[in-house]
Amino acid sequence: MQTHQYEAIIVGGGGAGLMAALYASRSVKTAVISKLYPTRSHTGAAQGGIGAALGNLEEDRPEWHAFDTVKGGDYLSDQDAALTLAEEAVSAVIELEHLGLPFDRTPDGRISQRRFGGHTSNFGDKPVRRACHAADRTGHMILQTLYQQCIKNEVTFFDEFQVVDLIRSGDAVVGVIAVNIDDGELHIFHSKAVLFATGGWGRVWEITSNAHSLTGDGNAITYRRGVPMQDMEFFQFHPTGIYKMGILITEGVRGEGGVLINDKGERFMEKYAPHIKDLASRDVVSRAIYLEIEAGRGINGQRYVYLDVTPETVNRYLAEAGEDRRITREYIETKLPDILDFCRTYLGVDPVTEPMPVQPTAHYGMGGIPTDLHGRVVVDAQRTPLPGLYAAGECACVSVHGANRLGTNSLTDLIVFGRRAGKHMAEYCQGADFVALPENPAGEIQEELERLRKADGTRKPYQIREEMRQVMMKHVSVFRTAEGMQEAVETIRRLKDEYANNLHIDDRGKRFNTDLFEAWELGCLLDIAEVTAVSALAREESRGAHSRDDFPKRNDEKWMVHTLAYRAADGGVELNHKKPVDMSLAEKDEKFKPKERVY
Amino acid sequence: MQVTLRIRRFNPEKDQKPYWADYTLDNVEPTDRVLELLHRVKWEQDGTLSFRRSCAHGVCGSDGMRINGMNRLACKVLVNTLGEGDALTIQIEPLLGLRVIKDLIVDMEPFFEHYRSVMPYFVNDDPPPEDGRERLQSPEDRERFDDTTKCILCACCTTSCPSFWANQDYLGPAAIVQAHRFIFDSRDHAAEERLKILAETDGVWRCRTIYNCTMACPREIEVTRAIGEVKLAIARGSVE
Amino acid sequence: MTALATTVTETLRYRGKVGQWAWVLHRLTGLGVIVFLILHVVDTSWAAFYPSDYEQAIREYQSPLFTIGEFFLVASVVFHALNGLRIVTLDYKPEWWRYQERATLLVFALTLLVLVPTFAVMLDHTVAFYTSDRDIATLDEIVQTQSLFVMGFVVILVVALALSGLYGLVTRSSQGVKLSGGWEATLWTYMRVSGVLILPLVFGHLVLMHILQGVFDIAGVPELEVVGTNAINQSGTAVEFVGARWNALLAGVAVWRIYDGLLLALAAIHGFNGLRYIVNDYARSVWVNRALNWAIFFGVIALIVVGAAALIAGADETAYKLATDMLSSVQ
């Protein structure tokens, strides 16, 4: 078993991981461990834009961005975090430009910006152009740019290494254990600090925009090693996924003027968000679509509605709204090329002339590994840091997105908090010494992997996984009830039992054993599904992405707290609801006080 | 419909040499992606079948492979584009020119080595604008290199190139595309150095204007055009 | 050789579009033409230096084996020229790539269009020759003389390999021959410029020597007018045919010598550099790669020197006489 020593270890090669790596590697010996080639990371699938109040096309201010973020988060966002995000977004986006990111440009050569759901000027007044973009492949450009800069700075990468465990020694975090997927050998990475930037866990649900690789590895690993999972009940369903496939259709489509249409040809968002209509925040729009479908107004009675960005429709509504702007076919082609490509490839639908069939798709986890503003993982309601452990990006919960994330804020989060975590981590490593590794740190995980590799029961991983995904889609998605969630929890527990006692995999080899790693990832998914369902069941209110039929109202009296879910000694989930939401902005400014959310 | 996947398999742990294996799948929808069929084989029939995949919609570049004789992303090919009828056979092989690690998985390291060799990163050591804002770039200057920013490093182009099949020292289309993205970026300052690298024997000159790469690119990048522009820039000693 | 084998098998298996097939044909036709060019320059130089051998060579070119070869040669030249023009155009206008498939089909169509009437005329010459009672070289003769060429090639290769091996042992160099980027760029441009410049010359040569008159007219037909001149080939020898051409003056200038000289220089460097491309693609072993590169480098120099020397020396009455003697001796 090989042992490597790096001062800083970064797990995950997406936007947050690479940003942190760029910063950490400037002063300490850093390695990035990624189960994919970093350019395969799902940051690359982000489409519409990265939010920052640059004000290149109209007046904009970070406070407004912070306000939208807090309101969008249904007041569960930590307000200090939201302000940090909004303020540092500006310099972060400028930094990306300086690193070479090819943003689209305004006629005067500045970074081009467009509208996005929930982003407004002047505290909710009207939609504002805040999403800095590069066509509809902003995430791709961010990922490529950061990876390129890592190559320039000669950052060390361990590509296609699956991190499977975190090594703790007493109170300290001293490294991780990874498997070289190529030959199946275990490697121990001894470090002063570890940053998890492993992305999301959308694969818990049946319909998702997430990559197959998004199985919540970092969350499961830390959870199993005593770190709580925060606010896991809040999982965003993006309103516009391609029907049945879940492939994301960016909110930028609506930012450019696209509208949602039901079977009767109505622009139904006028009912649900009379003010900013189709550009309401995602939870609102997803619920609206769901309600339309439930009321039988899905297209042809099916479980989808239309997203229409044909110039005729868009221009008609623009005219109706008294706007001067008009769009053309060519404009759509240049602004949304990938969306057109997806629809033409997968649906045979040309969005320039026909509407696209869409349905809500599991998209983004607002919750995750709790951290402070420096990316340090905090492990209790008092925000006590766990020395040497960091998290950033989707797997982390700062919490900036609260109960519902605004579009474009995920990319902003990656860059702002990836950067902060990288910086802090480097400082920490410079002041810390290596703590000795414990005896046989890989023993436990080695045993588990061997068990999986030789698993000879009757249930294949995909059978368990599909059952989990279906039950989560049915009961822990856009609308939830106590009975449904209870059923989900029970199903997941049964599946966990089958996973532990009756699993079967085919591939007994060492080399590139994807069968084995899919099984291991399933273990992560099951843990996370359980945490999500249990957390959701306990929160008896409706807030942001967590919408309950049996508790339809938000309850600020009781539930202005973050959920912390710990792994109990018996393997179950133990909840703590004592961590308050940071309200520092509301203390100074009335406008940030929780109120009813109207768009 | 019924589809038979004819897959080129090889596991060096136990196979002497590669072989063809057939898997028959029922109830295939014409709109299924080939990747979904591979998953069905792996999940329902034989878990040892190995291939890379991630995003499943053509943006991550993991699942480049040779499908019915052409390099494609398995997640971007629908069954109905490969043929009709009740019984269809689809032939799937690993990309050519890179060592096969297992089944459809090839060693990407030489590919990324070529990529890294062309300085695929932004270089501009001038201090950024004093107002602390972005560098300016006109929409026209931005448009100049738009096409080559789309590359996802899937290797479909490079491994479709007969010059690369013969000689893996050739940097290959993907690396040249990556260099092009910076050479023609008005903000970048290292065009000359990159052109020097690409002017070597194993650089652009090995391109014979065959167009296999352009046809193979799942992102519809005008690959041969980009290579051509780099050749001209070298021949003329200027990027304009 | 594995590189070549892989390329062959995978080109057959990979479903590339017409561009790929055009490339395959371009390589094959180029290879064919360069082999012929080497033979042609060497034996034409004999008109100046070894008249009777030249006469023998032309006799053999009039035999069936070479007649078939001539059809392939003409087809190769026509395709290579037209496809080359397509590549040059697309290389200098890369933004026109969308038309490449159509352009390739056009190249195939034009090749056929040119070849059909050309072959008709050539066939006419051929039929006329074989139905006449003229004397035809035997296979034995051909094998006897041409095997010298084959042996020449083999000797050159063996010497090159030996020297390369020796060089490798002494210097321990593990690199094949790689030119500097500047040279590669220059040669790339040269291939395109020369390709275009050769076009009128080569098509002119084609019309004169394969359509208006052919290999059957060069020798064995006394008192025929030498095409492109006012001269009459009194002796009916190939040597006089060539001599008369080179000696013909237009406004005091030996235009055909200049014409042939240009064709020689442009085509030889173009052809040998093309050969170098092929070698560097497929000769992956360092020794072999180096040997072949050297052979190519000295080969092209030798060929141009030999050709130029012949052009300068020319052929005169003495040579005609030797050729006539030779012809009468075999008939």
Side-chain angles (χ1 to χ4, degrees):
Chain A
M1 202 175 306
Q2 245 179 293
T3 303
H4 312 260
Q5 200 178 56
Y6 289 88
E7 291 175 281
I9 289 288
I10 290 164
V11 185
L18 295 180
M19 192 73 188
L22 267 184
Y23 272 86
S25 64
R26 285 177 190 172
S27 50
V28 297
K29 195 179 167 202
T30 305
V32 178
I33 309 177
S34 172
K35 70 171 170 178
L36 306 170
Y37 277 98
T39 57
R40 316 290 184 225
S41 305
H42 212 53
T43 299
Q47 299 168 354
I50 173 166
L54 300 183
N56 280 353
L57 288 155
E58 54 193 318
E59 191 193 354
D60 198 3
R61 297 183 198 162
E63 304 90 88
W64 298 348
H65 187 184
F67 172 83
D68 292 334
T69 302
V70 168
K71 179 181 169 187
D74 219 348
Y75 299 94
L76 195 75
S77 306
D78 281 336
Q79 298 191 345
D80 53 347
L83 187 65
T84 304
L85 177 93
E87 283 179 339
E88 294 188 10
V90 177
S91 69
V93 167
I94 298 290
E95 179 174 355
L96 287 177
E97 197 283 331
H98 291 166
L99 294 177
L101 198 142
F103 283 109
D104 283 5
R105 299 287 169 157
T106 64
D108 58 353
R110 300 206 165 273
I111 295 170
S112 180
Q113 297 184 279
R114 67 172 154 222
R115 292 173 181 171
F116 237 77
H119 288 281
T120 66
S121 61
N122 203 12
F123 305 103
D125 189 26
K126 61 178 195 333
V128 70
R129 272 170 271 191
R130 185 179 288 148
C132 311
H133 60 273
D136 54 356
R137 37 182 99 98
T138 315
H140 166 76
M141 301 298 188
I142 290 178
L143 184 65
Q144 294 286 328
T145 302
L146 293 177
Y147 185 59
Q148 290 155 0
Q149 289 299 313
C150 283
I151 290 174
K152 186 178 180 187
N153 292 303
E154 295 174 350
V155 173
T156 307
F157 283 96
F158 290 87
D159 296 331
E160 296 191 325
F161 274 60
Q162 172 76 55
V163 170
V164 286
D165 203 359
L166 174 70
I167 315 173
R168 292 184 67 171
S169 179
D171 252 357
V173 167
V174 295
V176 295
I177 293 163
V179 184
N180 181 354
I181 299 174
D182 184 38
D183 61 10
E185 290 303 318
L186 278 167
H187 292 243
I188 293 170
F189 289 86
H190 185 199
S191 68
K192 295 177 181 175
V194 174
L195 174 112
F196 278 89
T198 52
W201 50 93
R203 283 280 144 187
V204 162
W205 286 269
E206 188 183 12
I207 305 285
T208 178
S209 64
N210 282 202
H212 286 278
S213 55
L214 289 172
T215 49
D217 305 359
N219 300 68
I221 290 168
T222 48
Y223 173 68
R224 291 166 188 167
R225 292 287 170 198
V227 175
M229 291 295 110
Q230 181 172 316
D231 295 340
M232 293 295 281
E233 61 271 39
F234 299 102
F235 197 90
Q236 179 168 79
F237 280 72
H238 192 290
T240 57
I242 291 180
Y243 179 48
K244 281 189 177 166
M245 309 180 102
I247 297 170
L248 187 68
I249 301 292
T250 174
E251 204 164 308
V253 169
R254 283 170 284 139
E256 298 294 356
V259 291
L260 289 160
I261 303 285
N262 66 15
D263 193 42
K264 295 180 149 180
E266 296 163 337
R267 183 188 185 185
F268 58 85
M269 281 313 295
E270 286 173 335
K271 276 184 294 188
Y272 299 94
H275 202 49
I276 59 175
K277 305 185 177 89
D278 298 87
L279 287 174
S281 70
R282 288 176 178 172
D283 56 333
V284 175
V285 181
S286 282
R287 274 196 293 277
I289 293 174
Y290 196 87
L291 289 171
E292 288 295 308
I293 290 171
E294 289 298 299
R297 291 192 291 273
I299 305 299
N300 300 324
Q302 302 286 307
R303 300 198 65 82
Y304 65 93
V305 296
Y306 277 145
L307 173 60
D308 191 341
V309 74
T310 59
E312 302 82 73
T313 308
V314 172
N315 289 337
R316 192 171 79 238
Y317 283 112
L318 283 174
E320 234 172 65
E323 287 200 46
D324 295 337
R325 202 168 71 93
R326 296 288 180 273
I327 64 164
T328 60
R329 190 196 167 100
E330 292 69 39
Y331 180 80
I332 299 290
E333 297 268 2
T334 53
K335 286 294 180 185
L336 302 164
D338 278 5
I339 296 302
L340 302 190
D341 181 38
F342 296 152
C343 290
R344 287 166 183 163
T345 303
Y346 297 117
L347 297 168
V349 163
D350 189 348
V352 178
T353 55
E354 304 160 86
M356 303 165 250
V358 295
Q359 73 180 140
T361 179
H363 184 55
Y364 186 90
M366 271 72 72
I369 307 168
T371 74
D372 65 9
L373 296 182
H374 299 294
R376 283 186 296 187
V377 172
V378 295
V379 291
D380 56 25
Q382 290 72 45
R383 301 176 191 248
T384 312
L386 177 62
L389 188 61
Y390 291 78
E394 188 176 344
C395 73
C397 178
V398 183
S399 147
V400 78
H401 308 303
N404 170 61
R405 176 175 70 76
L406 288 191
T408 77
N409 269 358
S410 58
L411 292 178
T412 316
D413 179 359
L414 301 182
I415 303 309
V416 168
F417 291 103
R419 184 166 73 172
R420 284 181 147 255
K423 276 185 197 170
H424 199 278
M425 194 180 185
E427 279 168 31
Y428 173 84
C429 289
Q430 283 170 319
D433 289 322
F434 281 102
V435 174
L437 288 167
E439 194 81 4
N440 190 18
E444 211 176 312
I445 190 67
Q446 194 166 19
E447 211 170 284
E448 169 68 359
L449 289 172
E450 278 306 294
R451 174 186 83 79
L452 290 176
R453 201 159 65 85
K454 294 178 178 147
D456 202 17
T458 60
R459 291 274 278 172
K460 287 198 169 193
Y462 95 96
Q463 294 169 318
I464 297 177
R465 187 173 57 229
E466 291 316 301
E467 207 179 329
M468 169 197 72
R469 294 177 69 198
Q470 280 161 17
V471 76
M472 290 297 284
M473 196 71 199
K474 195 165 169 207
H475 294 306
V476 197
S477 59
V478 178
F479 280 101
R480 303 163 174 185
T481 63
E483 301 76 58
M485 288 186 284
Q486 192 60 52
E487 191 191 321
V489 171
E490 279 158 23
T491 307
I492 302 292
R493 290 198 169 138
R494 174 173 55 77
L495 294 174
K496 280 183 78 165
D497 183 59
E498 288 178 12
Y499 177 80
N501 300 309
N502 193 21
L503 192 70
H504 176 93
I505 78 167
D506 294 337
D507 197 338
R508 309 261 182 251
K510 295 283 260 179
R511 175 166 286 242
F512 233 103
N513 190 339
T514 50
D515 204 19
L516 170 68
F517 288 107
E518 272 190 38
W520 181 81
E521 287 169 339
L522 172 61
C524 298
L525 287 172
L526 286 168
D527 278 357
I528 287 176
E530 183 189 19
V531 170
T532 303
V534 170
S535 301
L537 184 59
R539 186 175 280 270
E540 296 183 329
E541 64 159 353
S542 287
R543 181 188 296 272
H546 177 65
S547 241
R548 291 185 60 155
D549 285 349
D550 42 3
F551 296 93
K553 288 265 177 271
R554 196 174 81 198
N555 181 349
D556 290 343
E557 294 278 302
K558 183 158 179 230
W559 287 106
M560 283 294 281
V561 289
H562 296 295
T563 305
L564 293 179
Y566 293 85
R567 187 165 186 270
D570 65 354
V573 184
E574 211 170 86
L575 296 179
N576 167 316
H577 290 120
K578 297 202 176 76
K579 186 177 181 182
V581 175
D582 179 276
M583 300 296 276
S584 48
L585 297 176
E587 282 159 22
K588 282 172 279 179
D589 188 339
E590 231 5 71
K591 290 197 272 305
F592 284 86
K593 288 221 164 106
K595 56 179 107 32
E596 205 191 333
R597 222 159 130 243
V598 186
Y599 280 105
Chain B
M1 64 194 288
Q2 191 186 64
V3 171
T4 301
L5 293 190
R6 198 169 153 66
I7 303 174
R8 189 73 168 162
R9 299 207 51 184
F10 177 58
N11 179 358
E13 281 183 324
K14 50 182 206 216
D15 303 324
Q16 291 292 316
K17 55 183 191 185
Y19 61 98
W20 291 101
D22 288 358
Y23 302 90
T24 302
L25 294 165
D26 293 314
N27 304 319
V28 172
E29 294 290 324
T31 51
D32 281 348
R33 292 164 261 188
V34 170
L35 178 63
E36 289 168 284
L37 306 191
L38 285 170
H39 269 142
R40 279 187 57 191
V41 170
K42 181 174 181 63
W43 295 339
E44 296 167 12
Q45 300 185 21
D46 185 350
T48 64
L49 177 67
S50 304
F51 50 91
R52 292 190 180 100
R53 86 283 182 269
S54 185
C55 80
H57 65 287
V59 298
C60 80
S62 297
D63 58 350
M65 52 189 76
R66 210 201 281 190
I67 299 172
N68 276 2
M70 268 191 85
N71 287 358
R72 319 280 296 268
L73 296 181
C75 63
K76 266 201 108 171
V77 182
L78 268 51
V79 172
N80 60 18
T81 64
L82 299 174
E84 286 164 13
D86 293 335
L88 182 69
T89 299
I90 300 173
Q91 187 175 298
I92 303 176
E93 303 159 73
L95 296 174
L96 179 77
L98 299 166
R99 178 181 62 94
V100 175
I101 292 176
K102 185 181 178 186
D103 295 341
L104 302 172
I105 296 168
V106 294
D107 181 7
M108 296 294 284
E109 211 31 60
F111 173 82
F112 277 102
E113 206 177 299
H114 287 324
Y115 162 73
R116 288 191 294 267
S117 73
V118 299
M119 304 174 68
Y121 41 76
F122 184 74
V123 178
N124 182 337
D125 296 330
D126 289 352
E130 277 177 22
D131 60 1
R133 301 290 301 214
E134 66 266 46
R135 292 194 167 93
L136 299 182
Q137 183 173 46
S138 71
E140 295 72 39
D141 284 345
R142 166 65 180 77
E143 177 61 26
R144 180 69 190 84
F145 62 98
D146 186 63
D147 200 43
T148 43
T149 62
K150 298 188 303 199
C151 175
I152 53 175
L153 297 165
C154 65
C156 280
C157 60
T158 295
T159 56
S160 76
C161 175
S163 295
F164 185 78
W165 297 339
N167 182 344
Q168 282 97 44
D169 292 340
Y170 172 38
L171 292 177
I176 301 171
V177 160
Q178 289 288 338
H180 179 282
R181 177 252 171 272
F182 293 100
I183 290 168
F184 292 93
D185 185 337
S186 58
R187 302 168 299 165
D188 183 90
H189 286 174
E192 218 168 291
E193 284 169 76
R194 285 189 202 95
L195 289 177
K196 220 172 147 224
I197 296 166
L198 293 169
E200 295 299 322
T201 303
D202 291 324
V204 287
W205 312 119
R206 284 209 186 279
C207 165
R208 316 286 181 216
T209 331
I210 298 168
Y211 291 101
N212 273 6
C213 53
T214 306
M215 302 292 164
C217 179
R219 302 285 287 167
E220 289 172 14
I221 297 171
E222 300 170 8
V223 184
T224 314
R225 174 182 180 174
I227 299 172
E229 287 173 355
V230 173
K231 285 180 190 163
L232 286 179
I234 297 171
R236 290 171 181 160
S238 122
V239 294
E240 275 324 308
Chain C
M1 285 312 273
T2 43
L4 184 57
T6 308
T7 307
V8 172
T9 58
E10 297 306 318
T11 301
L12 291 172
R13 291 182 64 246
Y14 190 81
R15 290 226 321 231
K17 298 282 167 61
V18 286
Q20 182 184 305
W21 296 109
W23 163 76
V24 169
L25 279 178
H26 202 76
R27 290 230 140 154
L28 291 176
T29 54
L31 208 55
V33 174
I34 184 69
V35 169
F36 171 76
L37 185 78
I38 295 168
L39 295 186
H40 187 51
V41 171
V42 170
D43 60 36
T44 307
S45 76
W46 296 344
F49 306 127
Y50 309 103
S52 42
D53 287 346
Y54 183 58
E55 215 51 52
Q56 173 65 23
I58 293 299
R59 246 178 75 72
E60 290 176 15
Y61 285 0
Q62 292 173 338
S63 71
L65 193 67
F66 283 92
T67 304
I68 296 165
E70 185 191 358
F71 279 87
F72 276 106
L73 172 69
V74 170
S76 294
V77 168
V78 171
F79 173 80
H80 199 85
L82 293 174
N83 192 51
L85 206 55
R86 176 186 74 101
I87 293 172
V88 172
T89 311
L90 288 166
D91 274 343
Y92 283 94
K93 287 282 173 201
E95 64 274 25
W96 290 355
W97 72 271
R98 277 177 209 285
Y99 305 108
Q100 64 90 8
E101 265 185 285
R102 268 172 281 173
T104 311
L105 296 176
L106 187 69
V107 165
F108 288 135
L110 282 177
T111 305
L112 281 183
L113 203 68
V114 172
L115 286 184
V116 166
T118 306
F119 277 9
V121 176
M122 285 169 60
L123 210 59
D124 190 46
H125 291 315
T126 311
V127 170
F129 177 77
Y130 286 108
T131 50
S132 73
D133 54 359
R134 286 168 61 187
D135 181 60
I136 298 168
T138 62
L139 198 61
D140 275 355
E141 274 179 72
I142 296 171
V143 170
Q144 231 171 43
T145 45
Q146 298 298 327
S147 56
L148 284 174
F149 265 108
V150 177
M151 274 166 61
F153 279 123
V154 171
V155 167
I156 290 170
L157 279 183
V158 169
V159 170
L161 278 169
L163 287 175
S164 165
L166 211 60
Y167 178 88
L169 284 176
V170 173
T171 62
R172 305 245 155 241
S173 157
S174 61
Q175 269 241 310
V177 175
K178 289 187 182 178
L179 295 184
S180 76
W183 270 104
E184 287 289 355
T186 307
L187 282 170
W188 182 82
T189 306
Y190 174 83
M191 290 302 270
R192 276 131 193 92
V193 173
S194 63
V196 172
L197 291 179
I198 296 171
L199 273 183
L201 298 176
V202 91
F203 274 106
H205 192 75
L206 197 74
V207 169
L208 291 179
M209 299 312 306
H210 297 272
I211 297 176
L212 294 179
Q213 289 184 342
V215 66
F216 306 120
D217 303 313
I218 296 178
V221 189
E223 306 198 1
L224 191 72
E225 193 179 66
V226 176
V227 67
T229 69
N230 297 322
I232 302 292
N233 182 356
Q234 301 288 351
S235 63
T237 61
V239 176
E240 182 171 351
F241 185 96
V242 171
R245 273 281 285 286
W246 286 348
N247 290 332
L249 299 179
L250 188 73
V253 182
V255 281
W256 289 115
R257 290 193 195 207
I258 295 171
Y259 187 106
D260 286 356
L262 277 175
L263 194 53
L264 169 70
L266 290 170
I269 299 177
H270 185 104
F272 272 85
N273 190 50
L275 208 53
R276 186 180 70 91
Y277 288 154
I278 294 179
V279 161
N280 284 339
D281 274 354
Y282 306 124
R284 307 286 296 125
S285 139
V286 174
W287 283 18
V288 177
N289 180 284
R290 193 164 45 213
L292 293 178
N293 268 286
W294 287 353
I296 286 168
F297 179 71
F298 291 108
V300 70
I301 291 176
L303 196 70
I304 290 174
V305 167
V306 166
L311 280 171
I312 291 163
D316 56 15
E317 296 292 338
T318 332
Y320 304 167
K321 176 79 179 52
L322 285 169
T324 314
D325 291 349
M326 186 271 159
L327 259 192
S328 46
S329 78
V330 291
Q331 273 160 4

